[in-house]
């Protein structure tokens, strides 16, 4: 069931150590306190469950909660979680400098060896942030990088992302703020528009231009939350040169105008 984003709270990033844009929390002990009900974050979160039986939903779908269940939640993804033994690692998109973390929400199970590796990496990250010894900032970023590498390896056991889709997402990520057409994207990935449409719909259930709009709306939400830019400027920065059309598309997707959404979530 589609939910209006205007009613969904956005959890802000607080409680990090100095200028290190990453933190580790125990589920149920987050800063700010665990948000009850569906909500989004302005930051990335990795959730690792230590015991079975909890509750977690990601984008409206129930996720497994077993010993070793893990989830990656990008900014803007709607999720709902109940208190249960485990840990969360939260970090802002710029925590690793110029490296952009994964943008797709994902959940799955880690086998025992991988679960232990994830636990040890999170424990190491937590220790660096707590003890703050010389060089802890670099060490914390290194631990976060190791965590993301471990997660990417874990996902190799999942159905692989179609290589053409990876190319499409890369083209969109680099050019969404400019005019983009199906024909232009197809040419960039050496496919015909018809062939590309079939591949993208088979893998994602969406159209190519639907993926473009998703990326533009992701950036629009970020700008509305993190800047004071006027709506017309936000529209131009995310690739809409008609402010009125941007407002109509934003309302269609979010159930509120950009101004209403910013007021409700700011």
């Amino acid at each position: 069931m589609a939910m209006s984003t205007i009613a969904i709270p956005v959890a802000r990033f607080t409680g990090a150590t100095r200028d290190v844009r990453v933190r580790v929390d125990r589920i149920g002990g987050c800063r700010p306190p665990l948000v009850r009900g569906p909500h989004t974050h302005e930051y990335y979160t990795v959730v690792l469950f230590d015991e079975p039986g909890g509750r977690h939903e990601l984008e409206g779908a129930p996720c497994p909660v077993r010993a070793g269940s893990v989830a990656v939640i990008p900014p803007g993804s709607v999720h709902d979680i109940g208190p249960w033994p485990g840990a969360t690692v939260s970090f802002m998109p710029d925590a690793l400098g110029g490296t952009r973390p994964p943008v797709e929400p994902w959940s799955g199970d880690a086998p025992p060896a991988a679960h232990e590796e994830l636990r040890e990496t999170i424990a190491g990250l937590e220790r660096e942030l707590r003890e703050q010894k010389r060089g802890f900032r670099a060490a914390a970023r290194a631990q976060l990088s190791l965590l993301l590498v471990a997660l990417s390896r874990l996902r190799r056991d999942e159905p692989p992302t179609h290589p053409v889709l990876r190319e499409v997402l890369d083209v969109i990520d680099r050019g969404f703020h400019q005019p983009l057409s199906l024909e232009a994207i197809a040419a960039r990935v050496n496919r015909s528009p018809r062939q590309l449409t079939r591949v993208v719909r088979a893998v994602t259930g969406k159209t190519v231009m639907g993926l473009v709009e998703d990326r533009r709306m992701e950036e629009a939400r970020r700008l509305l939350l993190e800047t004071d830019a006027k709506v017309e400027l936000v529209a131009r920065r995310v690739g809409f040169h008609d402010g009125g059309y941007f407002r109509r598309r934003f309302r269609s997707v979010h159930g509120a105008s950009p101004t209403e959404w910013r007021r409700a979530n700011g």
Side-chain angles (χ1 to χ4, degrees), residues 16 38 50 59 73 88 99 128 132 172 204 221 229 231 257 262:
D50 290 336
E59 297 292 0
I73 308 164
T88 66
T99 303
E128 292 293 343
Q132 297 187 30
I172 292 173
T204 69
R221 291 192 300 268
V231 172
S257 71
R262 171 184 266 167

Side-chain angles (χ1 to χ4, degrees), residues 23-42:
R23 71 176 196 236
V24 178
D25 294 299
R26 295 292 133 185
I27 300 175
C30 302
R31 296 182 297 265
L34 186 70
V35 180
R36 297 186 180 279
H39 63 283
T40 68
H41 298 157
E42 65 172 352

Side-chain angles (χ1 to χ4, degrees), residues 3-6 217 221 249-256 261:
M3 294 175 292
S4 173
T5 309
I6 194 172
M217 290 301 169
R221 291 192 300 268
R249 291 307 308 150
F250 193 95
R251 180 180 289 278
S252 175
V253 172
H254 298 88
W261 191 91

Side-chain angles (χ1 to χ4, degrees), residues 14-264:
T14 60
T17 304
R18 297 184 186 178
D19 59 338
V20 181
R21 310 264 279 173
V22 59
R23 71 176 196 236
V24 178
D25 294 299
R26 295 292 133 185
I27 300 175
C30 302
R31 296 182 297 265
L34 186 70
V35 180
R36 297 186 180 279
H39 63 283
T40 68
H41 298 157
E42 65 172 352
Y43 46 85
Y44 287 85
T45 294
V46 175
V47 181
L48 180 65
F49 290 93
D50 290 336
E51 296 181 12
R55 176 181 58 80
H56 187 214
E57 292 184 0
L58 183 56
E59 297 292 0
C63 299
V65 178
R66 295 179 278 268
S69 291
V70 63
V72 178
I73 308 164
S77 293
V78 180
H79 86 121
D80 186 12
I81 190 170
W84 204 256
T88 66
V89 175
S90 302
F91 57 98
M92 292 297 283
D94 60 357
L96 292 174
T99 303
R100 182 182 175 86
V103 297
E104 298 178 11
W106 173 80
S107 67
D109 289 324
H115 181 208
E116 187 60 29
E117 179 185 2
L118 293 172
R119 287 187 63 179
E120 290 179 0
T121 303
I122 292 173
L125 173 58
E126 188 174 29
R127 184 169 55 253
E128 292 293 343
L129 295 174
R130 183 180 67 253
E131 296 179 357
Q132 297 187 30
K133 295 180 179 179
R134 177 178 292 183
F136 82 93
R137 293 175 179 83
R141 293 188 183 101
Q143 292 284 4
L144 177 58
S145 294
L146 288 174
L147 176 64
L148 295 179
V149 168
L151 288 169
S152 69
R153 290 173 175 169
L154 179 62
R155 292 190 64 176
R156 287 189 304 182
D157 295 331
E158 295 291 310
T161 301
H162 197 287
V164 173
L165 179 60
R166 287 197 297 268
E167 293 182 56
V168 168
L169 293 175
D170 184 59
V171 171
I172 292 173
D173 198 46
R174 287 185 282 111
F176 69 88
H177 54 286
Q178 301 170 344
L180 272 181
S181 66
L182 169 61
E183 291 72 19
I185 296 172
R188 292 287 297 276
V189 300
N190 297 314
R191 297 292 190 281
S192 71
R194 178 176 295 181
Q195 181 186 30
L196 185 60
T197 297
R198 286 201 304 267
V199 170
V200 170
R201 188 178 293 279
V203 176
T204 69
K206 297 184 177 182
T207 66
V208 175
M209 297 312 294
L211 295 180
V212 174
E213 183 172 82
D214 286 350
R215 184 65 182 92
R216 286 173 170 166
M217 290 301 169
E218 176 191 350
E219 182 66 7
R221 291 192 300 268
R222 187 189 71 79
L223 291 172
L224 289 169
L225 289 174
E226 297 181 8
T227 75
D228 295 325
K230 294 183 178 179
V231 172
E232 293 288 340
L233 180 57
V234 170
R236 290 196 298 273
R237 285 183 176 177
V238 301
F240 287 88
H241 297 286
D242 182 336
Y245 181 65
F246 168 69
R247 287 182 173 87
R248 291 193 295 275
R249 291 307 308 150
F250 193 95
R251 180 180 289 278
S252 175
V253 172
H254 298 88
S257 71
T259 300
E260 292 168 340
W261 191 91
R262 171 184 266 167
R263 187 183 302 121

